[in-house]
């Protein structure tokens, strides 16, 4: 795929959704961090339902630590892998208090050092909470990047590096959100909705679904 096609793709995605953002509900970087940790292998809708009850009661590292493992699990038990996520959240809260004055760092390495936080989560936090032009690659973005040929790659890291290289600077800040929403609602896994896709004529997917 050439640069002109990529530019046109993101121009259309921007025109359709000028100010995209995460579908996770949050008001602070810490709330976003907790929500993203909980969202692994879970739906944003399910996470939002849990945090709608948790955050009004406890939305700081200290207050979550005071809940303890048993108390926290009462709020997140509807979410998949809640046992391990709960333990990681408590460890992360302790590290934030011990090393970052209770604040979420915006440094990539510092974020990745937190329990339950990998490269993808760190990129989400840096992009959405702090405005860095990072691109977090999840299953939706990996699929869309490979299927359309915007940034094909065999690994998540390879796709991320190609997106950073190929996406024009003017689109980098919002590229993550446009691609994830496109993968979630249009370029879905089993049967992509090619007939209603605004970039169908630019997409290089050979197995397009005719509706």
């Amino acid at each position: 795929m050439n640069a002109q096609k990529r530019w046109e793709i993101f121009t259309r995605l921007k025109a359709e959704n000028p100010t995209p953002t995460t579908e996770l509900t949050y008001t602070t970087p810490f709330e976003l961090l907790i929500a993203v940790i909980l969202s692994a292998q879970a739906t944003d809708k399910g996470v939002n339902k849990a945090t709608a009850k948790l955050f009004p009661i406890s939305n700081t590292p200290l207050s979550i630590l005071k809940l303890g493992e048993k108390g926290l699990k009462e709020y997140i038990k509807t979410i998949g892998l809640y046992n391990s996520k709960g333990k990681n959240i408590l460890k992360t809260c302790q590290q934030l208090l011990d090393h970052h004055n209770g604040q979420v760092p915006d440094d990539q390495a510092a974020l990745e050092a937190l329990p339950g936080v990998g490269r993808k989560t760190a990129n989400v936090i840096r992009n959405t909470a702090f405005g860095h032009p990072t691109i977090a690659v999840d299953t939706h973005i990996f699929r869309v990047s490979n299927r359309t040929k915007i940034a094909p790659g065999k690994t998540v890291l390879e796709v991320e590096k190609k997106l950073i290289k190929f996406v024009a600077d003017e689109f980098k800040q919002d590229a993550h959100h446009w691609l994830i929403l496109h993968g979630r609602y249009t370029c879905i896994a089993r049967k992509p909705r090619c007939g209603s896709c605004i970039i169908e004529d630019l997409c290089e997917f050979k197995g397009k679904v005719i509706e």
Side-chain angles (χ1 to χ4, degrees):
M1 179 174 286
N2 60 40
Q4 181 59 38
K5 265 191 180 181
R6 290 191 185 93
W7 187 88
E8 179 61 29
I9 283 172
F10 285 102
T11 296
R12 292 186 192 180
L13 293 174
K14 181 177 181 179
E16 183 183 53
N17 187 1
T19 55
T21 189
T22 178
E23 293 187 317
L24 291 169
T25 302
Y26 75 100
T27 57
T28 66
F30 178 73
E31 287 187 356
L32 179 62
L33 174 62
I34 298 306
V36 177
I37 291 174
L38 290 172
S39 71
Q41 299 182 49
T43 65
D44 287 359
K45 184 178 180 180
V47 171
N48 289 339
K49 189 174 180 180
T51 57
K53 296 178 180 178
L54 171 65
F55 289 158
I57 302 298
S58 182
N59 70 341
T60 66
L62 183 59
S63 61
I64 284 185
L65 280 173
K66 286 181 178 179
L67 283 177
E69 189 171 336
K70 185 177 179 181
L72 176 58
K73 285 180 181 179
E74 281 301 309
Y75 290 98
I76 65 173
K77 62 185 179 182
T78 56
I79 298 172
L81 306 175
Y82 73 91
N83 278 310
S84 60
K85 290 177 182 178
K87 291 176 182 177
N88 280 333
I89 286 172
L90 290 170
K91 290 177 184 177
T92 281
C93 288
Q94 191 63 59
Q95 278 196 212
L96 290 176
L97 289 169
D98 291 344
H99 304 295
H100 304 287
N101 296 314
Q103 301 299 309
V104 177
D106 69 353
D107 175 74
Q108 185 81 16
L111 282 165
E112 287 189 44
L114 298 172
V117 177
R119 184 178 181 86
K120 182 188 74 173
T121 296
N123 277 330
V124 171
I125 301 303
R126 295 189 73 231
N127 176 275
T128 306
F130 299 114
H132 293 284
T134 57
I135 300 177
V137 179
D138 69 349
T139 54
H140 295 299
I141 296 176
F142 185 79
R143 179 176 66 256
V144 171
S145 297
N146 275 287
R147 187 181 271 169
T148 61
K149 301 299 187 286
I150 290 174
K154 293 182 179 179
T155 66
V156 167
L157 183 58
E158 185 180 355
V159 169
E160 179 190 331
K161 288 181 176 180
K162 284 189 176 180
L163 285 170
I164 292 296
K165 178 181 179 180
F166 293 139
V167 175
D169 288 346
E170 64 189 289
F171 301 124
K172 276 194 175 77
Q173 179 61 45
D174 294 318
H176 161 80
H177 296 300
W178 285 321
L179 292 175
I180 194 172
L181 292 171
H182 192 68
R184 188 173 288 169
Y185 297 110
T186 302
C187 196
I188 56 179
R190 293 188 178 181
K191 189 179 180 183
R193 296 170 178 142
C194 300
S196 58
C197 176
I198 61 171
I199 62 169
E200 181 187 5
D201 58 314
L202 300 168
C203 171
E204 297 183 0
F205 179 44
K206 293 180 180 180
K208 290 179 183 176
V209 177
I210 306 301
E211 298 176 345

